[in-house]
């Protein structure tokens, strides 16, 4: 069979786009009509990404072969790859392993550790912050610096600690110099965040700061306007609405100490809902 002409190739490309195939996920085109041609990234990458990092083959640079293949996925298609990978995970352990091997977010290149979560999902209370800082990047756990110490005291004020709550962030990698993430970087992380909520399946959500509120609920209003009022997050997997409280981030409270009284009011409201739900 002769090679298609330039016009024929363009016509085929238009047909594919109209059919909904609008993302190229490999550097080389694939003949979909040929038999038994394996996908160069696809299934192997998804399978390897779900394995614990210690089981992956390592090269001299310490980066797995499939991780290098993942780098061939352009940033423009990373959110699509992230959605496919996140949705394929059926447990929190699988999601953690997938994040540890996902190479579609630029933030990971500069971070020391992937920061997944801390605490226990069995308590039914999930807190979501913004992004890891220096201390979190060093230790691989969320909220372990000064802001984390304040959060621990805030939780203790209503009878909670990390053995009774589950803590994570919107971003799993520290942005360099704690800068704001780019839209592309955030978009690559969000499928994992939403899948994280689905798999943890909390009975109550606490959103710490404006970034968390924006990416979880989609609200762009200021946190001072939104805090203290119950919202609801729709858990796609379970098909139910989760009571959600936006409140101030502990790092903000360290800078604006007068605002602690507002956070105290929020936590009293949270405590009442926890009692009503019989959680702690």
């Amino acid at each position: 069979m002769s090679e298609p002409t330039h016009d024929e190739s363009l016509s085929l490309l238009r047909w594919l786009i109209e059919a909904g195939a609008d993302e190229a996920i490999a550097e080389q085109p694939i003949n979909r009509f040929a038999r038994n041609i394996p996908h160069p990234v696809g299934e192997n990458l998804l399978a390897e990404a779900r394995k614990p990092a210690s089981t992956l083959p390592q090269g001299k640079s310490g980066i797995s072969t499939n991780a290098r293949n993942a780098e061939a996925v352009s940033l423009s298609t990373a959110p699509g790859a992230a959605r496919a990978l996140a949705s394929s995970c059926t447990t929190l352990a699988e999601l953690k392993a997938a994040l540890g091997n996902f190479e579609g977010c630029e933030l990971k290149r500069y971070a020391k550790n992937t920061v997944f979560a801390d605490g226990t999902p069995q308590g039914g209370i999930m807190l979501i912050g913004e992004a890891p800082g220096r201390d979190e990047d060093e230790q691989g756990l969320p909220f372990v610096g000064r802001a984390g110490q304040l959060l621990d005291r805030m939780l203790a004020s209503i009878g909670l600690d990390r053995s009774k709550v589950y803590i994570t962030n919107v971003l799993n990698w520290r942005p360099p110099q704690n800068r704001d993430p780019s839209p592309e970087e955030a978009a690559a992380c969000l499928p994992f965040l939403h899948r994280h909520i689905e798999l943890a399946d909390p009975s109550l959500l606490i959103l710490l700061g404006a970034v968390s509120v924006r990416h979880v609920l989609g609200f762009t209003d200021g946190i001072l306007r939104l805090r203290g009022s119950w919202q609801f997050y729709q858990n796609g997997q379970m098909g139910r609405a989760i009571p959600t409280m936006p409140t101030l981030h502990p790092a903000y409270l360290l800078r604006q100490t007068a605002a602690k009284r507002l956070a105290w009011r929020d936590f009293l409201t949270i405590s009442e809902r926890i009692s009503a739900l019989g959680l702690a």
Side-chain angles (χ1 to χ4, degrees), residues 244-259:
T244 303
M245 173 60 74
T247 190
L248 303 172
H249 195 286
Y252 175 83
L253 298 176
L254 290 173
R255 300 189 303 268
Q256 304 289 337
T257 57

Side-chain angles (χ1 to χ4, degrees), residues 11-275:
S11 297
L12 177 59
L13 181 59
R14 293 190 188 97
W15 179 81
L16 288 170
I17 292 173
E18 291 173 357
D22 58 354
E23 291 187 358
I25 59 174
E27 291 184 337
Q28 299 298 322
I30 302 170
N31 182 357
R32 299 295 182 183
F33 296 98
R35 296 182 179 179
N36 301 322
I37 295 181
H39 194 287
V41 180
E43 294 180 359
N44 291 336
L45 176 57
L46 289 176
E48 291 293 335
R50 291 174 60 181
K51 293 180 181 179
S54 59
T55 68
L56 293 176
Q58 301 292 315
K60 292 182 179 180
S61 64
I63 301 175
S64 70
T65 302
N66 279 293
R68 293 193 187 93
N69 288 339
E71 290 178 2
V73 180
S74 68
L75 286 177
S76 63
T77 60
R83 283 192 296 272
L85 183 55
S87 64
S88 73
C89 298
T90 59
T91 66
L92 290 171
E94 287 181 359
L95 188 67
K96 182 178 181 179
L99 265 170
N101 297 299
F102 180 66
E103 301 294 332
C105 181
E106 281 291 300
L107 293 176
K108 189 177 181 182
R109 296 177 182 270
Y110 310 104
K112 292 183 179 180
N113 283 296
T114 298
V115 180
F116 184 68
D118 193 20
T120 174
Q122 281 73 34
I125 303 168
M126 186 173 187
L127 294 89
I128 302 176
E130 299 179 354
R134 181 189 61 191
D135 295 312
E136 289 77 15
D137 187 37
E138 291 281 350
Q139 299 186 38
L141 291 171
F143 285 95
V144 293
R146 290 182 62 223
Q149 294 166 12
L150 177 56
L151 178 61
D152 287 342
R153 295 196 296 271
M154 294 166 67
L155 290 170
S157 71
I158 57 172
L160 298 176
D161 57 39
R162 296 191 183 221
S163 69
K164 300 175 182 177
V165 301
Y166 190 59
I167 307 172
T168 189
N169 281 307
V170 171
L171 304 179
N172 299 101
W173 301 283
R174 180 196 181 194
Q177 288 76 51
N178 293 336
R179 64 165 172 78
D180 290 337
S182 70
E184 293 80 11
E185 291 166 344
C189 293
L190 290 182
F192 295 104
L193 171 65
H194 292 296
R195 187 60 175 157
H196 203 159
I197 298 172
E198 287 181 352
L199 293 175
D201 190 27
S203 297
L204 187 144
L205 276 172
I206 303 171
L207 305 182
L208 303 169
V211 171
S212 178
V213 173
R214 179 165 68 250
H215 290 300
V216 175
L217 295 177
F219 296 160
T220 57
D221 294 346
I223 187 62
L224 291 174
R225 179 188 295 271
L226 292 171
R227 54 141 295 273
S229 298
W230 286 107
Q231 309 295 333
F232 289 92
Y233 176 84
Q234 297 294 327
N235 188 333
Q237 182 185 44
M238 303 304 294
R240 63 182 181 86
I242 302 173
T244 303
M245 173 60 74
T247 190
L248 303 172
H249 195 286
Y252 175 83
L253 298 176
L254 290 173
R255 300 189 303 268
Q256 304 289 337
T257 57
K260 289 183 179 180
R261 59 184 178 85
L262 300 177
W264 173 238
R265 293 176 189 170
D266 296 345
F267 269 65
L268 287 177
T269 304
I270 291 168
S271 180
E272 292 173 358
R273 182 60 68 96
I274 289 173
S275 297

